[in-house]
Amino acid sequence: MAKNIVLLGFMGTGKSIVGRRLAVELKYRFIDTDHFIEKRTQRRIPDIFAEDGETVFRDLEAQAVLEVAAWSGYVIATGGGVPLNKANVEALQGNGILVTLTARPDAILRRVQRRAGQRPLLNNPDPLGEIVKLLSQRESAYRCADIQVDTSDIPVEKSVNLIIDQIKPRLGAS
Ligand code: S3P
């Protein structure tokens, strides 16, 4: 059974776009935990945050992670807060190779601004300051991965190739 490739990282580091392309290259299937939650609940993530709060969202997220972590042969793009919960990381490690995507705060801001309103945690008068603050709070959680790729200044294809080069030996061993 093929191990999953799990993409972790802050909002705007490219998990979804890189993940989709990676799945095509590897002939894996693709799932994004945020889309999974939206499909399941028939609600948008910003609405869940606004109407029920972050704790309810984190519970839905943990359920989604448990479910998709049990699949095989998937590239799994995770929401930026997934590694904050140790149980999520343990479940994903069970059958997955973990890859953290990173990016500089200015690159993150540029990318998230293209889809304004989609990231409730960055609905803030100082989004760059909020990004820097959250990144420093989360730095150690993102370090749980086997592999790290900085996507700040490289095109999607290059990130995909860097990931493939690094996971190849591990895929062979699985
Ligand atoms: C979050 C990241 C979002 C989404 C939610 C919370 C976070 O996903 O899960 O808004 O805590 O960093 P993306 O990383 O795909 O934007």
Side-chain angles (χ1 to χ4, degrees):
M1 278 206 304
K3 274 195 172 186
N4 298 314
I5 315 295
V6 182
L7 301 186
L8 307 171
F10 200 75
M11 296 169 261
T13 52
K15 298 172 302 254
S16 299
I17 187 160
V18 170
R20 274 181 203 285
R21 204 73 64 84
L22 180 64
V24 171
E25 289 295 321
L26 294 174
K27 298 188 172 53
Y28 277 36
R29 300 183 74 181
F30 175 79
I31 183 78
D32 177 314
T33 57
D34 284 340
H35 287 170
F36 184 88
I37 295 165
E38 290 191 330
K39 228 171 146 194
R40 258 295 152 82
T41 60
Q42 290 293 302
R43 299 168 75 195
R44 292 177 58 248
I45 306 282
D47 295 338
I48 300 173
F49 267 80
E51 290 157 18
D52 294 340
E54 182 171 349
T55 308
V56 167
F57 172 74
R58 295 299 174 200
D59 286 346
L60 291 167
E61 182 172 64
Q63 284 168 33
V65 165
L66 269 187
E67 217 166 304
V68 303
W71 300 349
S72 290
Y74 270 79
V75 172
I76 303 173
T78 60
V82 160
L84 302 178
N85 177 344
K86 228 174 148 211
N88 289 344
V89 174
E90 282 167 8
L92 291 163
Q93 275 170 334
N95 185 37
I97 301 169
L98 272 46
V99 179
T100 288
L101 301 186
T102 64
R104 289 189 315 272
D106 61 294
I108 290 173
L109 182 65
R110 199 171 3 95
R111 292 170 184 168
V112 297
Q113 279 177 337
R114 284 190 211 132
R115 285 174 64 217
Q118 295 284 311
R119 265 67 174 227
L121 292 179
L122 300 178
N123 281 344
N124 185 292
D126 175 19
L128 186 61
E130 191 62 21
I131 289 167
V132 170
K133 187 185 93 187
L134 287 172
L135 276 174
S136 79
Q137 287 171 356
R138 294 178 172 191
E139 202 185 1
S140 63
Y142 292 136
R143 255 189 253 127
C144 64
D146 306 292
I147 291 161
Q148 281 214 15
V149 172
D150 183 343
T151 67
S152 301
D153 300 312
I154 56 177
V156 172
E157 294 73 22
K158 174 95 180 155
S159 298
V160 169
N161 290 338
L162 285 172
I163 295 170
I164 291 176
D165 286 348
Q166 295 185 70
I167 59 175
K168 250 189 205 152
R170 294 169 197 262
L171 283 177
S174 68

